[in-house]
Amino acid sequence: TAHHHRLEVSNLAVSYRDIQALQGINFRTECSRSMALIGPNGAGKSTLLKSLAGLVRPDAGKILWRGKALVSSSHEIAYLPQRGDVDWNFPITVRGLVEMGRYPNLGLWKRYSKHDEEIVERALTAMNLLDLQKRQISALSGGQQQRTFIARALAQEAHVLLLDEPFTGLDKPAQEALSQLFRELTKEGRLLIASHHDLQTVPSIFDDVLLLKRQQVAFGPVKEVFTEETIKTAYAS
Ligand code: ATP
């Protein structure tokens, strides 16, 4: 259908009590694309990702995934929190975290099956984590931690990956590896939406960009809308 694997956001507005965090957000994207959320601190990037993940309830507007209202429990959408929001000392192994990706699909009434195990195995393999699967997540490097969360999203069989500043805190080689991984994931048909702080690397990593500063400044292909003018507008104080 025309709605197949498309994400549509119209007139989205979100507030926290008396703080209007976002308003007038409108965009449409689809699987096999990657999108950067760009804007200064407090622009609402995390809030937008949380709304898409169903973690924050919008005041107004619509979020449609494949033509239907997005349900917070939708297992097709995976959310990868900002590094600072994760308790990295939580006692869980790499494999344990990736296995958690199966639970949205299982619910509490179904047993973890051979099939689930195969999916977890595949996700660990794809993210090159088989050798690390017994490690605690606290013992990983930043790049490995990011890969573990992406593996969890793969185990979830998510079509949409929402990532909050995935490149922050990674060294150059890890960043290069992650952007290569982004290219592979979109090629396989996934939709990636990530908040991003490094303006210089936007064109080499992402297809589309949404510039925002509480309101939407611009949305479209990086080549067309990521201009000096729109960047200035988003970052003007
Ligand atoms: P950063 O780049 O610093 O991560 P951001 O673009 O992700 O910022 P948000 O974290 O979405 O921005 O915040 C948008 C606005 O909403 C800010 O003014 C912030 O202070 C406010 N805000 C965010 N979360 C809450 C909350 N739980 N309660 C109240 N206000 C909040």
Side-chain angles (χ1 to χ4, degrees):
T1 74
H3 295 305
H4 201 56
H5 290 183
R6 182 186 288 165
L7 179 70
E8 287 180 82
V9 172
S10 47
N11 284 318
L12 187 76
V14 182
S15 63
Y16 300 102
R17 295 169 194 266
D18 50 354
I19 299 169
Q20 186 78 47
L22 279 180
Q23 62 182 40
I25 304 298
N26 288 283
F27 65 87
R28 187 188 265 211
T29 184
E30 60 195 14
C31 277
S32 303
R33 296 196 74 79
S34 62
M35 174 175 159
L37 303 181
I38 301 288
N41 292 335
K45 304 181 293 295
S46 298
T47 300
L48 179 52
L49 290 169
K50 284 177 185 166
S51 326
L52 297 174
L55 300 170
V56 164
R57 184 202 284 267
D59 300 330
K62 270 193 192 138
I63 300 171
L64 297 179
W65 166 242
R66 300 168 82 171
K68 288 191 193 131
L70 188 129
V71 192
S72 59
S73 62
S74 172
H75 71 269
E76 293 177 57
I77 292 165
Y79 172 69
L80 290 75
Q82 207 165 357
R83 297 190 58 76
D85 288 347
V86 176
D87 176 7
W88 293 107
N89 290 316
F90 190 84
I92 191 166
T93 62
V94 167
R95 190 184 181 97
L97 188 76
V98 176
E99 284 173 347
M100 281 172 73
R102 294 308 301 154
Y103 291 105
N105 306 44
L106 288 170
L108 291 173
W109 58 88
K110 230 182 114 227
R111 265 175 220 287
Y112 186 79
S113 70
K114 188 97 193 109
H115 174 67
D116 295 304
E117 203 166 298
E118 281 165 13
I119 291 171
V120 166
E121 205 74 27
R122 234 183 292 142
L124 286 165
T125 307
M127 289 304 102
N128 206 6
L129 290 167
L130 278 178
D131 293 344
L132 298 173
Q133 60 176 309
K134 290 185 180 147
R135 292 257 189 104
Q136 293 289 314
I137 58 166
S138 59
L140 304 177
S141 72
Q144 291 166 344
Q145 288 172 337
Q146 205 62 44
R147 265 158 47 212
T148 304
F149 269 87
I150 292 174
R152 185 185 68 161
L154 297 183
Q156 193 181 324
E157 298 186 307
H159 290 112
V160 183
L161 272 58
L162 307 166
L163 309 98
D164 206 342
E165 292 189 31
F167 289 87
T168 299
L170 304 191
D171 59 20
K172 274 275 170 269
Q175 288 189 17
E176 192 36 62
L178 188 60
S179 56
Q180 176 60 31
L181 178 58
F182 272 29
R183 282 187 281 275
E184 285 161 20
L185 292 170
T186 50
K187 222 167 162 190
E188 285 167 12
R190 293 194 170 78
L191 166 61
L192 302 190
I193 302 180
S195 62
H196 197 63
H197 262 298
D198 182 6
L199 300 183
Q200 300 217 324
T201 55
V202 170
S204 64
I205 303 174
F206 297 97
D207 301 315
D208 301 314
V209 63
L210 174 69
L211 278 136
L212 76 162
K213 189 187 176 188
R214 303 205 171 200
Q215 304 200 22
Q216 185 164 322
V217 174
F219 169 71
V222 172
K223 282 189 189 124
E224 289 167 32
V225 306
F226 197 58
T227 62
E228 230 171 277
E229 197 190 330
T230 56
I231 293 167
K232 227 187 246 171
T233 306
Y235 285 84
S237 46

